[in-house]
Amino acid sequence: MDKTNSLPPKQIIDSFEGIVDHIMQYHFEDGMRQHFLNIEENHLFEFHWSFGMFIRNAYELSDPEKVPNLVEHYKRVLIIEAGEDPDILTSESEPLYYFLLTGLLNNDGVSRHILKLIWRRLNIEHRD
């Protein structure tokens, strides 16, 4: 038996909404909920080495074979954040975003996006 990989297999959920739902249902305690409500969105980096690392270790975030919809959605998010329309990339902008379109992803970035989605959902629910 190979004991070199002692981590449990990663959860495979192929949408951001599904991952956020799963995290909030199974891994979100009241103290964490309150911490998210007390922090500004631009300070979510504070979770990088804690809750962000948990997300990176617990969920498959970047394998296009296992989570193709998640990967494509995240590429679109990055292109939109860069100020481009992912459906109408121009000949000038396409080379700049070629790395996004060919599947090079960063688990840190994906987990950061998930943290933002959790933060936004909690703040919307809290206002209502």
Side-chain angles (χ1 to χ4, degrees), residues 7-72:
L7 293 175
K10 291 185 177 190
Q11 292 278 328
I12 297 175
I13 301 174
D14 197 17
S15 72
F16 282 112
E17 183 176 353
I19 290 176
V20 170
D21 288 345
H22 192 266
I23 288 170
M24 292 182 75
Q25 182 174 359
Y26 296 107
H27 304 290
F28 221 67
E29 299 171 357
D30 288 339
M32 181 65 77
R33 180 179 304 275
Q34 195 56 49
H35 193 59
F36 264 79
L37 289 170
N38 291 340
I39 198 168
E40 295 293 323
E41 183 177 8
N42 62 345
H43 286 99
L44 289 172
F45 65 86
E46 293 177 17
F47 292 106
H48 178 78
W49 292 110
S50 55
F51 203 57
M53 184 177 288
F54 164 76
I55 292 169
R56 292 187 295 279
N57 289 334
Y59 296 91
E60 179 56 59
L61 302 178
S62 60
D63 185 333
E65 297 293 319
K66 294 179 181 176
V67 287
N69 296 316
L70 186 76
V71 167
E72 288 305 312

Side-chain angles (χ1 to χ4, degrees), residues 57-98:
N57 289 334
Y59 296 91
E60 179 56 59
L61 302 178
S62 60
D63 185 333
E65 297 293 319
K66 294 179 181 176
V67 287
N69 296 316
L70 186 76
V71 167
E72 288 305 312
H73 185 158
Y74 186 63
K75 286 189 225 178
R76 294 178 66 80
V77 165
L78 289 177
I79 292 169
I80 290 166
E81 286 178 352
E84 297 288 340
D85 181 340
D87 297 320
I88 312 173
L89 289 176
T90 66
S91 59
E92 293 83 30
S93 63
E94 192 167 347
L96 260 132
Y97 302 106
Y98 179 77

